[in-house]
Amino acid sequence: MSSEKRHFAIGLMSGTSADGVDAALVSTDGESDIQFHGGLTLGYSEQLRARVLEASQHNVRLDELLRVERELTLHHVKAVKALVTQLGPIAQSAEIVGFHGHTVRHIPNEGLTMQLGNPWLLAERTGFPVVSDFRRHDMARGGQGAPLVSLFHRALFANETEPVVVLNLGGVANVTWLGPNGEIIAGDSGPGCGLLDEWVQEMADLSHDVDGRLALKGKVRDDIVREALGVEFFRKPLPKSADRFDFDHVDVSGLSVEDGAATLCAVTVQAICGAVSRMPKEPAVLWVTGGGVHHPVIMRMLTDRFKIVRSISERGLSPDTLEAECFAWLAVRHQLGLPLTIPETTGCSEPTVGGAFTPIR
């Protein structure tokens, strides 16, 4: 591909754990030619993180929501500027920023989703045009609005000769099954690390289960796992997307902090196994990305259940910034008029060019 057809884009992602903003730069033709130029994570202050989590988990006043959105956006501005400082002129050549924002509500069965983030403020403060609001066009066409990473996964694994599954372990886990002839099936499998994060925040006053120290000491309560996986969500075929209330029934409150952590890991992994078991063919490799790749108990449980489990870092990719890189790629696709979602990935009625463009004027 000639360099004239390659577009430079910055992607931004704020995941459900609200640790901070991931920012990354890619250059791409909007298809499977993707080059990665570097990324970073700019952590939230404890105060901002607490306010973002409060807005995500509870109904807060509307004026407070707007103040959180402004502060959150200004933190994204800092992340863009930090990335430009780190990478220099190549980042300054970016044509567009893909700005996902922070999801505070996602209720796909009602066609509802809300991401905090002001694209006009981001564009004015960074000097880059912005693509945002990635989910709602898909949902207007009957889609679940998620997952959005699936077509990106297909672009990254375009040359596989056997079926593979790409597992994204964020707050919610999603899977992308890829066949050797371009086939794709995708959707959310169940909780990722979100329930585990909330558990250790409440019980151990930790942001997450660092290095799996709590779960490593715990024992899995199989009866609780079975009960957790017995609800309707886990019986639905892919594509499907979870809202934040789908897993509120998972109750480990009677357990020690360690047993609760181990049991929540097992819920995550068995839900993944259930989703993958319905795929047309068993994957030759399960590729794992997202923050959960760093959790040794989850990774060990996956290794016990699948033939080959690998981190995408073995392909020279970063599991910590891959979603940000995805939104850079999606922003380029928006500009080129290419679909961000298709019926096989979200259940939308037809291939859909999602996103809204905010120019610099």
Side-chain angles (χ1 to χ4, degrees):
M1 181 185 75
S2 66
S3 60
E4 288 79 19
K5 294 182 181 178
R6 183 174 289 121
H7 304 271
F8 284 81
I10 293 170
L12 300 169
M13 183 63 194
S14 177
T16 53
S17 60
D19 293 327
V21 176
D22 302 322
L25 178 74
V26 307
S27 57
T28 180
D29 63 350
E31 300 284 4
S32 58
D33 189 319
I34 307 166
Q35 293 190 8
F36 302 88
H37 301 284
L40 56 81
T41 299
L42 186 65
Y44 292 134
S45 68
E46 286 188 22
Q47 180 193 47
L48 179 55
R49 182 171 190 266
R51 291 171 70 199
V52 171
L53 288 173
E54 178 74 10
S56 303
Q57 296 168 5
H58 303 283
N59 289 324
V60 302
R61 285 171 49 128
L62 187 56
D63 55 351
E64 167 63 7
L65 197 66
L66 291 168
R67 292 187 182 104
V68 171
E69 180 177 61
R70 179 177 174 83
E71 191 172 341
L72 186 87
T73 303
L74 292 175
H75 196 84
H76 280 74
V77 171
K78 291 179 183 177
V80 172
K81 291 182 175 179
L83 186 71
V84 171
T85 298
Q86 176 176 300
L87 299 180
I90 194 170
Q92 293 169 349
S93 68
E95 303 163 35
I96 197 75
V97 172
F99 179 31
H100 175 266
H102 188 92
T103 298
V104 291
R105 291 294 183 277
H106 188 69
I107 311 174
N109 292 340
E110 298 181 47
L112 303 175
T113 192
M114 184 179 189
Q115 287 72 43
L116 293 187
N118 183 340
W120 291 102
L121 183 59
L122 185 75
E124 287 295 322
R125 295 295 180 92
T126 63
F128 294 111
V130 173
V131 176
S132 61
D133 195 7
F134 284 92
R135 301 186 186 274
R136 289 194 294 178
H137 192 191
D138 177 87
M139 296 181 88
R141 287 183 166 176
Q144 298 274 303
L148 293 177
V149 292
S150 309
L151 292 184
F152 186 58
H153 291 162
R154 184 167 71 177
L156 293 175
F157 290 82
N159 299 317
E160 298 295 312
T161 57
E162 294 184 272
V164 299
V165 166
V166 185
L167 166 64
N168 182 34
L169 272 173
V172 171
N174 58 68
V175 292
T176 308
W177 183 88
L178 299 166
N181 299 309
E183 307 99 324
I184 183 169
I185 303 170
D188 291 341
S189 60
C193 300
L195 292 180
L196 178 61
D197 289 346
E198 289 183 27
W199 173 249
V200 300
Q201 287 160 18
E202 180 181 348
M203 299 296 292
D205 197 25
L206 297 170
S207 63
H208 62 287
D209 185 15
V210 182
D211 298 326
R213 292 171 194 165
L214 295 173
L216 282 166
K217 297 176 183 176
K219 293 184 178 179
V220 174
R221 278 282 300 272
D222 291 324
D223 58 327
I224 293 178
V225 176
R226 284 193 298 273
E227 184 177 354
L229 298 179
V231 301
E232 181 188 358
F233 174 85
F234 299 103
R235 294 191 290 271
K236 293 179 183 175
L238 299 181
K240 62 184 175 183
S241 177
D243 74 42
R244 72 174 205 84
F245 302 109
D246 276 324
F247 314 124
D248 281 358
H249 69 284
V250 181
D251 184 9
V252 294
S253 59
L255 304 183
S256 68
V257 61
E258 295 86 0
D259 289 355
T263 300
L264 291 172
C265 290
V267 171
T268 290
V269 170
Q270 292 198 32
I272 293 162
C273 293
V276 174
S277 70
R278 300 184 183 96
M279 303 301 187
K281 189 175 180 181
E282 184 180 1
V285 181
L286 181 79
W287 291 97
V288 187
T289 184
V293 76
H294 304 298
H295 198 286
V297 174
I298 292 176
M299 293 300 287
R300 185 194 70 211
M301 289 178 173
L302 289 170
T303 300
D304 289 343
R305 301 295 290 271
F306 292 94
K307 288 192 295 189
I308 301 175
V309 177
R310 292 180 179 168
S311 166
I312 61 155
S313 60
E314 295 183 41
R315 294 178 72 103
L317 302 170
S318 168
D320 298 311
T321 59
L322 196 75
E323 275 196 284
E325 289 156 348
C326 171
F327 282 98
W329 183 79
L330 291 172
V332 170
R333 286 181 69 83
H334 170 91
Q335 292 297 86
L336 297 176
L338 298 172
L340 311 192
T341 56
I342 58 176
E344 296 93 325
T345 64
T346 66
C348 56
S349 59
E350 59 186 289
T352 299
V353 182
F357 178 64
T358 303
I360 295 295
R361 289 176 178 160

